[in-house]
Amino acid sequence: MRYLNPVYKIGLKQSARTKKTVVLLLVYNFLLAGLGLLVFYLTFDREGRMRENIAYSGILTLYCVMAAMEFVMILLIVPASTAGAVAGEREKQTLDILLSTKITPFHIVTGKLAASISMVILLAVSSMPVLAIVFSIGGITLSDMFTFLLLLGVTAVYIGSIGIFFSVCCRKTTMATVCAYLAMLVVVFLLPVLLFFFEFLGAFSNSGFSGLWDVMNSIRGKRTVFLLLNPLISFVSMLHDQAGRGITLMSSIGSEGRLMYFLSNHWFAASMIGQLLVSGGMVALSAWYLKPGRKQIFFWFRK
């Protein structure tokens, strides 16, 4: 423990010693377990009495629903928990004292990030036994569970790095929280909307938009690469590979060169690597910006 990041160690002790952590774990897993028991009852007891056959696919639907609940939980909780990590220290006027110690800005940023996302990671890990009830029916393997846990961890780090960046740039926690949620909405929802918008324009290629669409069609592969940074697409791709739910990625990706063909076959792994690289860049930029004496580039956040 003495080699652990001191900032993370303090944040971990503060969160673990509160009653709120215990109550949150209890309520969260109770709701998931209640949902699982309800689906089991509807699938086996009620359907078995009303019909001769039982739809075992409902258990896979249960897995998808609970996985979606945990994924949405990360999207909703992580920006708020990370946005106030550094901005809160600044509001309490303790950031200058923290920077005057031997702890480097990089360790401050990484410690705050790890402490902020540790709660959601703990919630995700504690819910694994509840999700494992699908093992009694089949369809989901142990490797699928670890893949889902990997997705939750990478998504938490990815969204959390964005929140930490705005927490470093903004003076107020409120401003940092608003910017973190707006950035999350842009990354998660705006990128697919823009792609679908361009695809919608292609429907009018025979009505005067043919020249514009030819240009867009020529860069379709490059545009699709940006979806690797979208955790929602990664989540849907994972569900399709595991349970056959959701939607497949664009079927025309594989016909747009060797790179896009490779990405279409290894989309989940490529998206995880891409999001981790962006997270590392955001953390490094936050640490550089937090270092005393650096030029304040994002001065509009400092108001």
Side-chain angles (χ1 to χ4, degrees), residues 3-299:
Y3 298 107
L4 200 62
N5 189 314
V7 179
Y8 171 64
K9 187 189 302 184
I10 294 175
L12 193 62
K13 289 180 179 179
Q14 290 175 349
S15 61
R17 292 177 179 177
T18 59
K19 295 181 180 179
K20 183 178 66 175
T21 302
V22 180
V23 174
L24 184 60
L25 286 171
L26 178 63
V27 173
Y28 179 73
N29 287 283
F30 179 79
L31 292 177
L32 281 181
L35 177 63
L37 292 176
L38 177 62
V39 173
F40 260 75
Y41 167 75
L42 296 177
T43 302
F44 293 101
D45 188 73
R46 184 172 178 271
E47 292 292 332
R49 287 187 285 106
M50 296 179 61
R51 302 177 182 178
E52 295 182 356
N53 55 342
I54 298 176
Y56 290 95
S57 60
I59 304 302
L60 290 179
T61 304
L62 169 65
Y63 169 76
C64 296
V65 171
M66 290 195 295
M69 289 176 58
E70 297 197 26
F71 181 77
V72 172
M73 174 197 67
I74 288 180
L75 296 182
L76 294 179
I77 295 179
V78 171
S81 61
T82 55
V86 180
E89 296 284 348
R90 186 181 289 112
E91 289 181 339
K92 293 183 294 186
Q93 298 181 353
T94 56
L95 181 60
D96 293 335
I97 300 176
L98 189 60
L99 290 173
S100 64
T101 62
K102 294 182 179 181
I103 305 176
T104 62
F106 178 78
H107 284 87
I108 294 175
V109 171
T110 54
K112 288 292 186 180
L113 175 60
S116 299
I117 67 176
S118 60
M119 177 54 64
V120 294
I121 297 298
L122 179 60
L123 289 174
V125 173
S126 65
S127 65
M128 288 298 107
V130 181
L131 284 174
I133 61 177
V134 298
F135 287 165
S136 61
I137 304 301
I140 299 298
T141 63
L142 186 61
S143 62
D144 293 334
M145 299 289 291
F146 282 113
T147 300
F148 174 60
L149 190 60
L150 173 64
L151 172 73
L152 294 181
V154 172
T155 303
V157 173
Y158 180 53
I159 301 297
S161 65
I162 298 176
I164 282 291
F165 172 76
F166 287 107
S167 182
V168 171
C169 295
C170 301
R171 285 188 177 274
K172 301 295 182 180
T173 302
T174 304
M175 184 64 180
T177 304
V178 172
C179 293
Y181 275 107
L182 287 178
M184 186 268 294
L185 290 175
V186 169
V187 171
V188 175
F189 297 104
L190 187 59
L191 285 178
V193 168
L194 289 177
L195 178 64
F196 293 147
F197 174 72
F198 288 141
E199 295 292 339
F200 177 76
L201 289 180
F204 296 92
S205 59
N206 296 326
S207 303
F209 289 92
S210 57
L212 178 62
W213 178 244
D214 290 339
V215 176
M216 292 181 179
N217 193 44
S218 63
I219 61 174
R220 176 184 295 180
K222 298 179 181 179
R223 188 175 67 244
T224 306
V225 172
F226 288 101
L227 290 181
L228 290 172
L229 305 180
N230 190 308
L232 180 60
I233 299 296
S234 303
F235 174 72
V236 173
S237 176
M238 183 205 69
L239 283 186
H240 184 271
D241 294 338
Q242 293 182 354
R245 301 296 194 272
I247 58 174
T248 58
L249 295 174
M250 287 68 64
S251 59
S252 58
I253 291 180
S255 62
E256 296 174 3
R258 295 182 178 179
L259 175 61
M260 300 312 300
Y261 181 79
F262 175 81
L263 291 179
S264 63
N265 294 326
H266 305 85
W267 186 269
F268 180 80
S271 63
M272 294 295 98
I273 295 174
Q275 292 172 24
L276 286 178
L277 290 177
V278 173
S279 301
M282 297 294 289
V283 169
L285 184 60
S286 301
W288 177 86
Y289 191 69
L290 187 62
K291 187 175 182 180
R294 292 292 184 182
K295 185 178 179 180
Q296 304 298 319
I297 300 177
F298 307 100
F299 58 88

